[in-house]
Amino acid sequence: MIRKDFASKKLSNRAGSLATGSTTWQAPGTYKGAHYDHFLNFFTSIRENVKVIQDPKFGLRAAGAALLANESYIRKQPVHWNPTEMKLI
């Protein structure tokens, strides 16, 4: 059963009331994209006959959203992230 008073509210009104903050992160101008980095890393490793190793900072950024979601769930409150220092606030 759907409550009429709840269903009649617009999504934009509810979304606008969330305090999401204004964090902006911009990649360096020389960054060519994740796919380029992955391919370059893989082919360089093959050519040089060494282990394929991923940059840990890139891995943290890739997994960061899931890790923050888990931390928020455990704490039962929103968590805030500083992308420059790569630390919880």
Side-chain angles (χ1 to χ4, degrees):
M1 182 174 174
I2 298 175
R3 286 181 29 202
K4 290 181 182 181
D5 60 331
F6 183 77
S8 66
K9 291 182 181 179
K10 293 182 181 179
L11 180 60
S12 61
N13 291 345
R14 288 182 281 168
S17 66
L18 295 173
T20 57
S22 60
T23 300
T24 304
W25 183 83
Q26 186 174 1
T30 57
Y31 183 65
K32 295 181 180 179
H35 292 292
Y36 178 83
D37 287 346
H38 282 291
F39 283 120
L40 180 64
N41 184 26
F42 175 73
F43 289 120
T44 302
S45 298
I46 298 300
R47 286 184 190 116
E48 296 175 3
N49 196 26
V50 296
K51 260 185 167 179
V52 179
I53 299 173
Q54 182 58 49
D55 175 39
K57 187 184 270 189
F58 184 86
L60 176 60
R61 289 201 185 275
L67 295 171
L68 289 171
N70 289 341
E71 187 65 24
S72 179
Y73 177 79
I74 291 166
R75 293 182 182 192
K76 297 185 183 341
Q77 65 182 16
V79 293
H80 301 283
W81 177 254
N82 182 332
T84 306
E85 295 180 14
M86 295 182 62
K87 293 181 179 179
L88 284 173
I89 298 173

